[in-house]
Every structure is written in structure tokens, then in C-alpha cells.
Amino acid sequence: MTTQLTLGERIAWYRQRRGLTQEVIAGRVGRTVDWLSKIENGRMDLDRLSVLSALAEALDVSLADLIDEPRLMEWTEGSGQQTVPALRSVLMDYRHVTGMNIGTERDHEPMSLDSLKYALDDLWDGYQRAKFGYVVSRLVDFIPEARYSVSTQSGDARRTASGRLALAYQLAATVLTKLGEADLAWNASNRGIEAAHQSENPVVIGSLMRSVAHSLLSTGSYAEAVNLTNHAAEFLEPHLVKPGATLLSVYGTGLLAGSMAAARNDDRSTAREFLDVAERTATRLGRDANYLWTAFGPTNVGMHRVSTAMELGDVQQALNLGPALDTSGATTERRVRHALEVARALSTANRREEALAEVLGAEQLAPEQVRYHFLSRHLVQTWVRTQKGKPSHQLKGLADRLRVT
């Protein structure tokens, strides 16, 4: 019903469904009626998730309802015709929940630990190249195989297999978050943290804690995500006396997730603290790296400084930092996410042509990621609706590909 509505129109639609006046909703979020009227009529842009989360709470709807998620996942050559519904069936397998033997129906040898590692490497590589359809379709088969492998192992081998299963669940949660499937991502994170504890590996446990934090972020539970970041840091800190590069990377990326949570919670000092500690950790690591698929290093810290600045409304700071940041060595997924943030800052500063160029460049790198991200859809729809005269050929083509009007 609300797919083709603008964000402001969607807020008005839910407000009217609740039978509430603008005065009531504006009062609940500590704003004026004039402010809410401008939001609903499209005369003022709104893309700060902290404010959107407050509006969602006032309307008693989910954050996903307001930002029009999830979106239908397109079939691609990589995905075939097996996407999110198939993965949902795997994650909600009752045999796993009830503790029943999930491997009795399999009549083949389980995957070896090496095979699990190679397959998992391939899947995470696919995610970092923003091949979301490929990842979702392959996880449908990989997760049951990884579960089967765990069920047939014992001792150290079982702990290792559990760690790889946990990281598969983390990948599922990560890609589902990108697709707007917040509740299903939470399910995957929950399964993953269970498997991580069975691995008894602090690095894997720390990595899955970050996964849970991201799932909390996707549902608008920002204060809880901040608290979890602090707990995760406390859990990892005893292991940081003589840490390896992987542990440093997991610790640092957890702080980056926390910085976003704090920024969306309008907690400027905590966001800055998390970023500063992450920067010191990146300096300690000494370079940009990708241990355990974290893409952690000084560049990723810089990207998060831009993103948190935008969440806190510091547009000029984002413009000072974002366009100048060299992301050429980063993973595709990280480069595209940064490009969308820069486009957001440029659009807010009324530099729409430059912002459009950023989104088009990002689309060339990762069309799936741009198609499903809230920011790209919101920006393009806003530009089309507020354009004086007909939109340019480039803008219209982009809107058609993103299926927004």
C-alpha cells in the first residue's frame, strides 16, 4: 500500500490510520506542528534515523514500516529463483529450535573443516562484492551443511565447525539487514551467537556480538546497541594484551558499529569516544586489512566518521571529510556505502548533480546494494518528486531501476 509513497507521505498515512492529529504526533517527538507538516508535505527532508525511529515509536509501527522495508529481492543470475523465503525456511527450521537431530536425513559425508572454510570464504567474498542474491541463495544450502558438520564432530573439530557455522549465521544476518529483513536478521544473529559460544573462540564470539549490534541497529534499538558494544568491548579487552591482527580487527569494527548506534541515539560524546578508540586500534593494527571479513583499518574509521557526522546532523563535517577520503582500496560494499553517505551529504547541501553522480557511480560498482539501500531510494525519490520540470534522463533511468517514483 505504501511502496510508492514518499517518506513524508508514509508518515502521514500511518498517522491517519492511527486517527492521530499532527499536534499529537509532533508533541510526542518534541517537535512543532509546522515541522511535521513540512515533513509530511515534502517541504523538508528527513533522513536521520534517530528522528525516524522516534516517529515510528510515536506511531507504534516499526522503523522498517516508515522506510519501506523490506523490498522484494530481485532474481539475478547469481541468485536463481531461491532468495529470502528459502533462507527464512532454513533459519526457522523447527528441528534446530527443538534440538532434534537435524542430520538424520542426510546420507552423505559431512563437509570437512577445510571445505567449510573455503565455502565460507567464498560467501563472505560475495557479500563484500555486494553480490547479495548470490550470497542468499548459497546460504540456503550452506547453513544446513554446516549444522550437519557440527552434529557429526566432537572435541576441537566440533568447536571449529561451530565457529564456522556462527560466521555463516553472521553473514546471513548481515546480508538480511542490507535487504531490510530486520526480524529475520535478528533470528540469524541469535542462532549465530549460540553457535559462537559453542566454539569457545573469543574472536568468533566478539564477531557475533557485532552481528547482534547490527541487528539491533536495524530495528531502531540504538541504546541497546550502545550497551551491547560496551559489553562486547569489556569481553574482548582481557584478550588485547597481546592481540593478533584478527582480534584487533574484530574489536575495532565492533566499536564502529557502536559509534553508529550512539550517533543514532543522539549521543555525540559516546559516538566520538567509540570512534577515537577505534582509530587508536586501527593505528595499532597499522594498515587497512580484512581479517575475518571486517574490512577494518584507518579508512573504515574515516568512513564511519562521515556516517556518524550525518546521523548527528553535522553536514559540513561530513562534506569536509567524505569526498576527500580515498576508498579505492576498500571492499566494494564499503566503498558503495560510503558513496551513498557522501551523496546524502551533497544532497543536503543542495548539490544534487554531484549527489546524483555519486549514486550513479555506486550503482555501477554494486547495483544490488544501491537497489536495496534506504538512502539511495530515499534520495532518488526525493529528487524526482521535488524536481522542477522533468527529471533528467539519468535521474529518470535511475528511478526506474530502483522502482521509485
Side-chain angles (χ1 to χ4, degrees):
M1 291 283 298
T2 65
T3 298
Q4 297 304 323
L5 300 181
T6 65
L7 180 57
E9 289 168 344
R10 204 171 296 118
I11 292 168
W13 190 86
Y14 282 114
R15 177 180 59 76
Q16 291 161 6
R17 282 291 303 272
R18 292 297 185 199
L20 298 172
T21 64
Q22 289 183 334
E23 288 82 357
V24 170
I25 294 300
R28 288 184 179 180
V29 297
R31 302 281 179 150
T32 66
V33 173
D34 182 61
W35 174 86
L36 182 58
S37 178
K38 288 178 180 178
I39 293 297
E40 291 187 351
N41 293 327
R43 289 180 288 135
M44 181 183 294
D45 196 17
L46 175 61
D47 58 13
R48 291 182 61 192
L49 288 174
S50 58
V51 181
L52 287 172
S53 183
L55 282 166
E57 183 177 356
L59 292 165
D60 191 28
V61 299
S62 71
L63 178 61
D65 289 328
L66 285 193
I67 62 178
D68 186 28
E69 288 185 338
R71 306 286 288 187
L72 177 67
M73 190 172 196
E74 304 286 346
W75 288 337
T76 66
E77 183 178 348
S79 72
Q81 297 181 16
Q82 181 171 262
T83 59
V84 173
L87 184 55
R88 178 179 288 108
S89 295
V90 168
L91 293 173
M92 300 183 71
D93 187 338
Y94 76 90
R95 291 166 296 183
H96 178 73
V97 176
T98 59
M100 295 173 62
N101 188 341
I102 62 174
T104 54
E105 75 282 10
R106 295 179 180 270
D107 58 0
H108 60 269
E109 288 294 317
M111 292 179 71
S112 68
L113 295 180
D114 284 344
S115 295
L116 285 176
K117 180 183 182 302
Y118 296 144
L120 194 60
D121 285 344
D122 174 68
L123 287 170
W124 273 100
D125 179 66
Y127 168 75
Q128 292 192 322
R129 290 185 291 113
K131 303 295 184 183
F132 296 160
Y134 173 85
V135 172
V136 168
S137 67
R138 298 312 188 273
L139 281 170
V140 170
D141 295 322
F142 181 80
I143 289 176
E145 287 293 340
R147 288 176 182 164
Y148 181 40
S149 180
V150 170
S151 72
T152 61
Q153 304 284 358
S154 61
D156 287 345
R158 184 183 180 91
R159 285 186 282 273
T160 299
S162 295
R164 287 171 188 164
L165 174 60
L167 293 169
Y169 279 127
Q170 179 180 355
L171 177 56
T174 302
V175 73
L176 287 166
T177 298
K178 294 289 187 184
L179 299 173
E181 297 279 356
D183 292 341
L184 196 56
W186 174 260
N187 180 297
S189 291
N190 185 41
R191 300 278 182 269
I193 199 70
E194 291 175 1
H197 283 296
Q198 291 172 11
S199 78
E200 301 179 16
N201 185 334
V203 173
V204 175
I205 295 170
S207 190
L208 267 295
M209 285 183 172
R210 175 167 58 96
S211 176
V212 175
H214 278 298
S215 293
L216 288 169
L217 276 170
S218 69
T219 61
S221 303
Y222 306 135
E224 290 86 347
V226 170
N227 290 335
L228 176 58
T229 301
N230 284 319
H231 290 317
E234 291 172 4
F235 170 78
L236 291 174
E237 279 167 2
H239 304 279
L240 292 173
V241 178
K242 293 183 179 179
T246 304
L247 180 59
L248 281 175
S249 298
V250 167
Y251 178 71
T253 46
L255 293 168
L256 294 181
S259 73
M260 291 299 296
R264 291 176 185 174
N265 201 42
D266 277 327
D267 186 346
R268 188 178 299 270
S269 63
T270 300
R272 185 183 303 113
E273 179 185 352
F274 283 153
L275 285 168
D276 289 346
V277 178
E279 186 167 359
R280 292 195 293 271
T281 305
T283 301
R284 194 174 175 183
L285 182 65
R287 63 195 181 283
D288 290 325
N290 195 28
Y291 294 101
L292 207 66
W293 313 288
T294 54
F296 182 69
T299 300
N300 205 350
V301 176
M303 292 178 182
H304 279 77
R305 287 198 183 277
V306 175
S307 296
T308 54
M310 285 303 299
E311 290 297 338
L312 290 165
D314 298 333
V315 179
Q316 190 56 54
Q317 181 182 355
L319 287 172
N320 291 342
L321 297 173
L325 188 62
D326 180 9
T327 65
S328 58
T331 64
T332 298
E333 184 275 328
R334 286 284 80 211
R335 290 178 65 190
V336 169
R337 180 65 183 86
H338 179 70
L340 294 180
E341 205 67 76
V342 171
R344 176 189 183 188
L346 291 167
S347 181
T348 304
N350 204 30
R351 294 160 60 179
R352 288 191 175 183
E353 289 187 8
E354 295 171 77
L356 175 59
E358 286 285 343
V359 177
L360 289 170
E363 187 193 29
Q364 285 189 325
L365 284 174
E368 288 186 67
Q369 186 173 354
V370 171
R371 182 185 306 140
Y372 297 121
H373 204 286
F374 157 70
L375 272 182
S376 50
R377 298 197 313 272
H378 173 68
L379 288 170
V380 171
Q381 188 176 54
T382 299
W383 297 337
V384 170
R385 292 290 187 95
T386 59
Q387 179 82 25
K388 293 181 179 179
K390 291 184 177 181
S392 67
H393 175 73
Q394 284 184 318
L395 178 55
K396 184 180 183 305
L398 180 59
D400 289 343
R401 292 191 295 278
L402 300 187
R403 290 175 171 76
V404 298
T405 58

